[in-house]
Amino acid sequence: MNFNEHDAKKAILVPAGIPVLNGRLCHEAAEAAEAVRALGPCAIKAQVPTGKRGKAGGIKLAKTPEEAQQAAETILGMSIGGYEVGAVLAEQAATIRKEYYAAVLHAPSERASLVLFCAEGGMDIEELAEERPQAIRRFLVKDPGHFTMEDALMLTVDLDDDAQEVARILVSLYRRYRETDAELLEINPLARLDDGRVVALDCKFVLDDAASSRQETLCAHAAPAKSTALEREAAAQGLKYIELDGEVGILANGAGLTMTTMDVVSHYGGRPANFMEIGGDAYTKAEPALRVVLTNPKLRSLVVNFCGAFARTDVMAEGVVNAWKKLKPEIPVFFSVHGTGEDEAVALITAELGLTPYDLMEDAVQAAIGTAQ
Amino acid sequence: MSRFPILRRADRILVQGITGTQGSFWTQKMLGIGSNVVGGVNPRRAGETHLNLPVFDTAKTAMRETGFDVAVMFIPPMLAKTAAIDAIESGAKGLVILTEHIPSHDVLEIFAASRAHNTRIVGPNTAGLVTPGETFAGIMPGHNTNIFKPGHIGVISRSGSLGTLICLNLTRAGHGQSSFVGIGGDPMIGTTSLDALRALDEDERTEAIVLVGEIGGAMEEAAAEYAAGMKKPVVSFIAGRAAPPDKRMGHAGAIVSGNAGSYPAKQAALERAGVAVADTPHEIVDLLRVRLAQPACNSS
């Protein structure tokens, strides 16, 4: 779950005492002009949860209300990284003396957390990691909750005057990362201003989806996901659905098998119309899942590929058969069914739909591609 | 127990959450093939018996009473941390975490505890471990003899459903399995592809290995490096070749951002290491037949 800069600053940094500049969230250009009247010169910043906003033209400096009006008019409604800009943050302009980079994130291969610090902020950290990895200092936190001032000072020790203050911010940042179930909490840049303050000029916060039930207050401020109407409808029903460009519809159980079905469709020259996975507890949701898959107007044929381990194929087949009889779709469907509950599933499909499942998924897929073309 | 994540019938298994619907269902299946289940945990039903097995309040009590080796968890995500740490602190040598969607900060605490107590973890979000004809722990159809048959192929999979299909294909082609190691679909897991590959390389029953991976992360690349020095043949399939970038493909771990975690990167690393990479699941069987017919392998 991603958050826009303004929400991340307000909900994550400010409560932790990490300073940010004065700013106003504006949904209309006139509000941006008003903000500059009140705060003086401002940076007008597109609020979308994606990087490289500056490069995309989503951040402009406005010295006068007229400039703010103009900048906001340009930026509002822009599309950046697939997100439409619905709001801008008008943030008081400041003179920067020095920029740093600070982040806390999961380190899956170490099964631990990583605090990153770099004395050169503001740049693309991924590019820097590629070009000069030694510039990024790392501290691996193996024992959750144990990142001390002493640890932080190891990262900031050569910053002269800023060492203590920046280290304190790193400690707060790590504490917030834990409290808010963050996967990533990043300040880039963290800046020492000419007036002496150290402030977070930007903030990126990614909340772990699995923790959303215990972070309801925060989740209410999350940026809307980049998804189609059909994807949102599926998500609301607890289904993992991704809309794609092709013609061959896919319904399968388990992430691995569903991805593999897509792969086999492309391998034989077809194009998948979707990813729809009803593994795990969702195996009882074959009927609503099929409804979503069939809603896609690009669909020309459908592959139903089940291999039951935890998921019972008889339960899934019943859902498919029910949906099929209710919706009476006119496209051809090709089954391959194996694993838990296989005999009952095959008998049901044969009796109710008059179809014989293919022994190999590869054959079911090729048949589906053949009729889609 | 030194073999974990390879299970043997002698391994004494504790089922946490044994009285729930899924815990009961799968414990019966496990018992059906002769798994050595010695008890279960449910604090609210401690002292009762369930499926003729004793129910304990905690894994710690179960350890005192039964001296179990491996715990397997049928526990919902928000309670998983407490159950896992109970098992770890009880002194369990191995812990199989089936639960999907455990908050990742809880997972970090579980791993910190496992390091302190030397517990080996499989998962989270795994379908479990199967030694065909002998024992299993998890939510795999380990009891289904059309799918799993004793033999000499070790199978490693991030996915339960795809792993099941591949074991079925192997069995039909006459290749039984020495062990199925489901490592789990999460980005942060206790037993990686490399850990499982090493265990199967050292397993005397295993003659060849099928490594079933997925896009996302760098586990397959790490496993490839090790495979380059192996004598046993390794055949691989990586799911997600056709997946669009920046989308999470069902599994939390299956996402490609930039070049990291991409199919081409994994394919190249595996092929460089002498591992044959199949285009479709069924092709695995053909590649395996070829590799088994060759003398010694993978040296690049």
Side-chain angles (χ1 to χ4, degrees), chain B residues 152-154 178 203-209 231-233 292:
Chain B
H152 303 288
I153 310 297
S178 52
D203 175 44
E204 69 280 5
R205 291 191 200 170
T206 301
E207 287 171 8
I209 292 148
K231 290 206 164 54
K232 295 178 185 178
L292 283 168

Side-chain angles (χ1 to χ4, degrees), chain A residues 128-203:
Chain A
L128 185 70
E130 194 99 331
E131 286 159 22
R132 287 190 306 116
Q134 71 284 0
I136 303 169
R137 295 168 209 168
R138 295 152 199 270
F139 190 96
L140 196 66
V141 186
K142 291 194 132 186
D143 196 0
H146 293 81
F147 178 69
T148 62
M149 194 61 191
E150 211 172 24
D151 300 330
L153 280 168
M154 286 170 64
L155 297 169
T156 64
V157 65
D158 56 351
L159 293 189
D160 305 328
D161 298 348
D162 290 350
Q164 290 281 336
E165 195 168 351
V166 171
R168 264 195 300 277
I169 288 175
L170 288 179
V171 170
S172 301
L173 198 66
Y174 173 77
R175 200 187 69 231
R176 262 332 245 163
Y177 153 83
R178 288 198 76 216
E179 288 168 352
T180 60
D181 276 303
E183 282 178 3
L184 167 69
L185 181 54
E186 177 188 88
I187 302 176
N188 186 25
L190 177 70
R192 167 70 75 184
L193 304 180
D194 251 359
D195 64 15
R197 287 180 293 162
V198 175
V199 297
L201 294 186
D202 194 0
C203 180

Side-chain angles (χ1 to χ4, degrees), chain A residues 249-265 276-279 290 302-309 311 313 316-317 320 333-339 349 357-365 368, chain B residues 161-162 165-166 168-169 237 281:
Chain A
I250 291 168
L251 177 66
N253 68 292
L257 188 66
T258 312
M259 271 193 277
T260 301
T261 312
M262 282 174 55
D263 296 343
V264 173
V265 168
M276 173 62 97
E277 191 256 288
I278 53 166
L290 188 56
L302 175 69
V303 178
V304 177
N305 187 17
F306 293 150
C307 191
T313 59
M316 294 188 286
V320 170
V333 55
F334 303 88
F335 288 87
S336 182
V337 178
H338 292 292
I349 291 161
Y358 286 77
D359 194 28
L360 293 179
M361 68 170 277
E362 285 85 348
D363 293 338
V365 165
Chain B
S161 53
L162 180 58
L165 180 72
I166 284 164
L168 172 82
N169 284 344
F237 177 79

